[in-house]
Amino acid sequence: MAYDYIISCCSYTDMSSKEMNDLGIKYICTPYMVDGKTYIDDLGETTSYEEFYQAMKDGAITNTFQLNQNEFADYFRELLKTGQDIIHVSLSSGLSGVSNSARLAIDAMKEEFPDRTIYLVDSLAAAAGLGLLMYTASKLRDQGMGIEELYNWFEENKLNLHHWFFTSDLTYLVRGGRVSKASGFIGGVLNICPLMNVSDQGKLIPRAKIRGKKKVITENNVHLDYHTPKAKTFILICNHTEAFDPGYEMAALKRYVRFVSSDHVLRMNVGW
């Protein structure tokens, strides 16, 4: 399908390449490392999510690093050669400097392509939250929303997004420096599951330390209750890291099904 303008983002959406292509969204693949070897996050085309998470379970050391200005410039240049304007949505500036790299590249592209318009949105979101923004943006574009109106929609609505999540394994929080080794050891012994969310500044914030997966899911649902929109339908994403137990997690969410139409329950893999 031909579109009047290009919607673009980084590959931090936790969607598959097929889902992104079906939505008509362009994306720049971001690099990551597994045990010192560099890979490209092409949304599961080269390395499946199952393979990636199995490597993590087996003890692999994983890292991400951000794209630089030149890489963004090369990416934007190819899109602009099509003669279309661009709205690019970046990973939260509260989590990475990738938004600034994109901004610098866009400034350069505006000089190289003075007749083209390029908008940059700092999503203040990550993972499936960013995916949800992109999903919604594609639907608004398909309904006829123009690029400037869509940019304004992003700026007016991005903080209406709510990310609530937990982990039952503190290993990667320790490796990433978010939790000390001592706290990680004690938390592991006590079966602590941190409940976290993304703040209005786009940062990951621990909100509670809860013992046990069942209790943390219950607490997570308290926040889901509180933030549930008043509308009759809304989009609910159940996100996981190949540790999804449909009989357990979905049972905890089943009371929301009457509010959510079947095509608005999106299940995705989370993060890196």
Side-chain angles (χ1 to χ4, degrees):
M1 180 183 295
Y3 300 107
D4 293 335
Y5 56 91
I6 293 171
I7 300 178
S8 165
C9 63
C10 303
S11 59
Y12 294 114
T13 61
D14 292 345
M15 289 185 174
S16 68
S17 57
K18 182 180 185 305
E19 287 169 324
M20 293 288 278
N21 292 331
D22 287 348
L23 293 173
I25 298 173
K26 301 294 185 181
Y27 57 92
I28 181 170
C29 297
T30 52
Y32 66 96
M33 298 182 73
V34 178
D35 287 336
K37 184 178 179 179
T38 301
Y39 298 85
I40 296 298
D41 177 15
D42 54 10
L43 303 182
E45 288 192 8
T46 302
T47 302
S48 71
Y49 291 120
E50 291 82 2
E51 291 174 309
F52 176 78
Y53 288 117
Q54 187 59 52
M56 293 180 72
K57 292 174 184 177
D58 293 340
I61 304 298
T62 60
N63 306 92
T64 60
F65 48 98
Q66 70 185 50
L67 294 160
N68 61 42
Q69 176 184 347
N70 292 333
E71 290 168 319
F72 269 112
D74 290 342
Y75 168 73
F76 289 135
R77 184 177 293 110
E78 292 305 308
L79 296 181
L80 290 166
K81 285 180 180 178
T82 67
Q84 293 174 290
D85 295 333
I86 302 171
I87 181 166
H88 180 79
V89 187
S90 77
L91 177 70
S92 171
S93 61
L95 298 175
S96 169
V98 70
S99 181
N100 188 56
S101 295
R103 187 180 306 280
L104 293 172
I106 286 173
D107 288 344
M109 290 300 99
K110 286 180 178 179
E111 294 183 7
E112 192 171 331
F113 296 87
D115 296 330
R116 297 268 60 85
T117 298
I118 315 176
Y119 290 102
L120 176 63
V121 177
D122 178 0
S123 70
L124 301 177
L130 178 57
L132 177 53
L133 283 177
M134 303 313 297
Y135 174 87
T136 307
S138 72
K139 300 303 180 183
L140 293 173
R141 175 207 56 206
D142 294 348
Q143 293 167 16
M145 185 175 285
I147 188 170
E148 183 177 2
E149 188 179 2
L150 183 60
Y151 172 76
N152 291 333
W153 177 88
F154 271 117
E155 294 302 324
E156 292 168 4
N157 290 279
K158 62 187 180 183
L159 292 183
N160 292 331
L161 188 69
H162 296 282
H163 311 66
W164 285 91
F165 56 98
F166 68 91
T167 179
S168 56
D169 185 348
L170 303 179
T171 301
Y172 285 88
L173 292 178
V174 172
R175 287 182 182 175
R178 297 182 185 276
V179 173
S180 69
K181 290 183 178 180
S183 296
F185 174 77
I186 295 171
V189 171
L190 297 178
N191 194 25
I192 297 296
C193 299
L195 178 64
M196 297 170 276
N197 81 333
V198 178
S199 70
D200 285 353
Q201 292 72 44
K203 299 178 182 292
L204 301 187
I205 306 295
R207 298 298 184 184
K209 299 176 182 178
I210 300 170
R211 294 187 67 176
K213 188 175 180 180
K214 184 175 181 179
K215 289 182 179 179
V216 76
I217 288 177
T218 299
E219 181 64 21
N220 188 71
N221 286 345
V222 169
H223 294 282
L224 182 54
D225 280 334
Y226 179 78
H227 293 294
T228 295
K230 303 302 181 183
K232 291 183 178 180
T233 62
F234 58 94
I235 300 175
L236 172 67
I237 292 180
C238 183
N239 218 5
H240 67 101
T241 54
E242 289 304 319
F244 185 81
D245 180 348
Y248 187 56
E249 276 85 347
M250 287 310 294
L253 296 171
K254 65 182 180 181
R255 66 181 179 277
Y256 299 102
V257 173
R258 65 191 179 91
F259 297 113
V260 188
S261 59
S262 60
D263 62 335
H264 286 91
V265 180
L266 308 181
R267 177 181 160 205
M268 303 177 183
N269 297 72
V270 63
W272 313 288

